[in-house]
Amino acid sequence: MSFTNTTLKTAIQDYLDSTETSSVSNLTTFITTAEERIFKNVQLDNFRKNQVGNLTASGTYLECPTDYLAPFSLAVIDSASNYNYLLLKQVSFIRDYTPNASTTGLPKYYAEFDDNTFIVAPTSDLAYEVELHYYYRPASLTSTTGSETTWLSENAPNAILYGSLVEACTYLKNYEAIPVYESKFQDALLGLKNLGEAKSTRDQYRYDEIRRQPQA
């Protein structure tokens, strides 16, 4: 079983046995919210990506890709083509390490400065090429045509269906049905976790995992 944008919206309405106008107009929101829950709760190898960019000379900041969710690694490529992997820290550490932004050198550390930007330390002394390996947000099923599928709609149809139904029942205030669909959604998530974090595991090196900032 797999879903297209059209068939998933039809299935949601069939399960709800409802064509109430406002809920139909929010079907896209139900689906995208369910997708977001999946992406934030399950780490899948299918959603890894590499992107090459550049630090500017005397530059402290690096823009995140628009589909960025979480980092696996960030490497600075020096003039000898060597990969120098940066350590993920908190912004406060970056500020303490390089209190004066005019202090330059080969960056050693990076932090998520905000939702769209990394900050590095020390300030880059040269215009280095960088390579970011990261967990990304794939295009939503709702952004496709009515006949196309996505990886999730083909390989995790139950997760995307039941997750959407939870959102739809919340919107319709059908509180009795929410625990039923939430339970089925969690079962589907568990299957995805087993696939992405157990059955699909491979030898992992130090940086080849999601890099999270330590808690203070």
Side-chain angles (χ1 to χ4, degrees), residues 39-76:
F39 297 145
K40 295 293 179 60
N41 282 281
V42 183
Q43 180 181 329
L44 295 165
D45 287 346
N46 306 77
F47 302 139
R48 293 172 178 241
K49 182 186 285 189
N50 274 30
Q51 183 162 315
V52 174
N54 292 94
L55 280 167
T56 60
S58 300
T60 305
Y61 299 98
L62 180 68
E63 187 175 352
C64 297
T66 56
D67 57 0
Y68 169 84
L69 282 178
F72 287 101
S73 66
L74 178 63
V76 172

Side-chain angles (χ1 to χ4, degrees), residues 8-167:
L8 179 56
K9 288 180 177 179
T10 299
I12 294 169
Q13 293 176 79
D14 289 344
Y15 271 75
L16 296 174
D17 193 21
S18 172
T19 56
E20 191 269 330
T21 303
S22 64
S23 65
V24 171
S25 66
N26 280 284
L27 287 171
T28 293
T29 301
F30 303 153
I31 295 169
T32 56
T33 304
E35 290 172 327
E36 193 70 10
R37 288 187 69 189
I38 295 169
F39 297 145
K40 295 293 179 60
N41 282 281
V42 183
Q43 180 181 329
L44 295 165
D45 287 346
N46 306 77
F47 302 139
R48 293 172 178 241
K49 182 186 285 189
N50 274 30
Q51 183 162 315
V52 174
N54 292 94
L55 280 167
T56 60
S58 300
T60 305
Y61 299 98
L62 180 68
E63 187 175 352
C64 297
T66 56
D67 57 0
Y68 169 84
L69 282 178
F72 287 101
S73 66
L74 178 63
V76 172
I77 305 171
D78 62 27
S79 58
S81 299
N82 295 316
Y83 278 68
N84 300 271
Y85 285 95
L86 280 61
L87 295 178
L88 180 62
K89 298 291 185 178
Q90 295 183 352
V91 174
S92 58
F93 178 93
I94 300 293
R95 296 299 195 198
D96 285 341
Y97 184 79
T98 312
N100 188 337
S102 64
T103 303
T104 63
L106 178 70
K108 296 181 179 180
Y109 306 102
Y110 76 110
E112 295 173 304
F113 185 75
D114 56 31
D115 290 340
N116 304 306
T117 315
F118 293 118
I119 183 172
V120 301
T123 299
S124 180
D125 58 343
L126 299 173
Y128 292 107
E129 184 177 48
V130 298
E131 183 173 295
L132 175 67
H133 184 47
Y134 66 103
Y135 188 55
Y136 76 100
R137 179 186 288 103
S140 170
L141 179 65
T142 61
S143 68
T144 66
T145 66
S147 60
E148 295 177 319
T149 60
T150 62
W151 189 93
L152 278 182
S153 72
E154 286 189 347
N155 295 279
N158 287 345
I160 198 170
L161 171 62
Y162 291 124
S164 299
L165 287 169
V166 170
E167 301 305 321

